[in-house]
Amino acid sequence: MTTDQAKPRNQSSSLRRALAVLDHVRDHADARGVSLTRIADDLGISKSTVLRLAQPLIDGDLLTRDRETGWFRLGHGALRLGQAYLSTLDMRSVAADPLRRLQHLVGETCHLVVYEAPDVVYIDKVENEHNVRMASRVGLRMPAYRTAVGKAVLAWLGEEDFQTVVAAGMPARTERTITDPARLAAELERVRLSGYAVDDRENEPEVRCVAAPIFDHTDRAVGALSVSGLTSRMTPARVREVGPMVERAGLEISRVLGSSRPSRRRPDRARDDTRHDTRHDPQEGNQP
């Protein structure tokens, strides 16, 4: 191999190691930063190599080094890169592929919404593979309290957002709609435990929906995606199968939007929030 042939590979290797230094500082620096010794030890390279790899990053303002302590922190160039990245993001574009993959996987209608208190607004919809169509449409506004997507968002917002929804009114849409604030609060706690929300015929009489939140770069719930189907297909057992799929799709979209929320461990089945009141429908047996 000639020197000219080896040079690009060496440059590529150096770039990868420099990016590893940048990633380490991003993940491990506190208010003071992270020390040269820790970077070298954790990455298994010498201190002199760390300094050599870090210098172009410092020159480009991606890293900064404290003159007194020698510790490293992210530089303002990293902030500019992050802002530039976030400015190009559009939730509908980011979610398009995951939403379509989810629809192909489950074979039911999938929705994408954003939260605009006290409602959710549908911004995308992928129809099911059956002849029956859902009543939803892109641009439709729906009260958050009676939809799975709305509850998926509300579960991760604060008390002020909850009270805004309650103050807007909670009239019944079907006989199963939750109209009591205390019951809604309990429902949101179940959503937090399971990771996904269920609309069990609360918005449309013969439709069940399963939804999960979408978080932005500040880890605030800003939207949700859902799977909706007729109760004849979205049985209680099917809801339990689909729930984790929707949750994973929501986390996938959230990561692209800059969220750092980790994947959540699945709760015990006994704590699953899909155990709903079936007093209006005793023949259902196992609840979703």
Side-chain angles (χ1 to χ4, degrees):
M1 180 180 294
T2 67
T3 301
D4 289 341
Q5 290 174 321
K7 189 175 181 180
R9 177 174 295 180
N10 291 337
Q11 289 176 338
S12 176
S13 175
S14 295
L15 177 58
R16 286 195 297 270
R17 292 198 293 170
L19 291 175
V21 171
L22 183 63
D23 287 346
H24 189 281
V25 175
R26 178 198 64 195
D27 295 338
H28 297 90
D30 55 22
R32 296 179 301 165
V34 60
S35 70
L36 172 63
T37 299
R38 180 173 181 185
I39 297 173
D41 290 346
D42 287 355
L43 296 182
I45 56 180
S46 68
K47 293 181 182 179
S48 61
T49 299
V50 172
L51 291 173
R52 177 174 59 82
L53 296 171
Q55 191 57 53
L57 300 174
I58 293 173
D59 293 342
D61 296 323
L62 296 175
L63 286 182
T64 184
R65 192 178 186 204
D66 190 282
R67 292 183 178 181
E68 295 184 1
T69 66
W71 286 32
F72 293 88
R73 294 191 302 272
L74 291 180
H76 59 81
L79 176 61
R80 292 200 306 270
L81 278 179
Q83 290 173 330
Y85 170 72
L86 292 172
S87 69
T88 66
L89 292 180
D90 169 76
M91 186 187 295
R92 186 175 182 182
S93 298
V94 169
D97 286 343
L99 196 69
R100 279 149 185 77
R101 287 198 300 271
L102 181 64
Q103 195 283 325
H104 181 74
L105 182 64
V106 300
E108 300 291 348
T109 297
C110 294
H111 297 101
L112 179 70
V113 309
V114 292
Y115 179 66
E116 293 185 3
D119 303 325
V120 290
V121 180
Y122 290 79
I123 62 173
D124 204 356
K125 176 182 181 180
V126 186
E127 290 282 7
N128 63 35
E129 300 170 353
H130 310 283
N131 291 326
V132 179
R133 295 290 184 263
M134 300 292 106
S136 57
R137 67 179 187 278
V138 172
L140 179 69
R141 300 182 72 95
M142 197 72 68
Y145 74 94
R146 69 181 192 224
T147 63
V149 282
K151 289 188 287 185
V153 175
L154 285 176
W156 301 101
L157 297 180
E159 179 65 20
E160 182 177 350
D161 293 277
F162 178 80
Q163 292 301 332
T164 297
V165 169
V166 171
M170 299 174 59
R173 175 68 178 266
T174 74
E175 64 178 6
R176 300 184 64 86
T177 304
I178 295 175
T179 59
D180 175 53
R183 279 195 62 199
L184 179 60
E187 176 81 357
L188 299 182
E189 176 61 26
R190 288 193 289 269
V191 174
R192 288 188 288 272
L193 288 174
S194 72
Y196 58 89
V198 178
D199 158 12
D200 186 10
R201 297 159 289 175
E202 297 160 43
N203 194 54
E204 296 183 58
E206 298 300 325
V207 174
R208 285 197 183 98
C209 300
V210 187
I214 295 172
F215 301 93
D216 68 5
H217 66 286
T218 67
D219 286 336
R220 175 179 170 83
V222 292
L225 75 164
S226 69
V227 172
S228 303
L230 295 177
T231 55
S232 57
R233 294 191 305 271
M234 287 292 287
T235 63
R238 184 59 173 159
V239 166
R240 289 190 288 270
E241 293 174 356
V242 169
M245 301 179 195
V246 181
E247 182 185 7
R248 285 193 294 271
L251 284 174
E252 178 185 353
I253 297 167
S254 299
R255 290 191 189 98
V256 179
L257 291 175
S259 172
S260 59
R261 292 187 65 88
S263 299
R264 204 181 44 79
R265 293 181 60 186
R266 301 301 308 162
D268 295 336
R269 178 65 60 84
R271 298 178 65 189
D272 199 316
D273 79 332
T274 55
R275 295 175 298 147
H276 283 252
D277 184 359
T278 57
R279 285 175 295 178
H280 294 298
D281 196 7
Q283 69 268 26
E284 284 291 345
N286 295 324
Q287 298 88 354

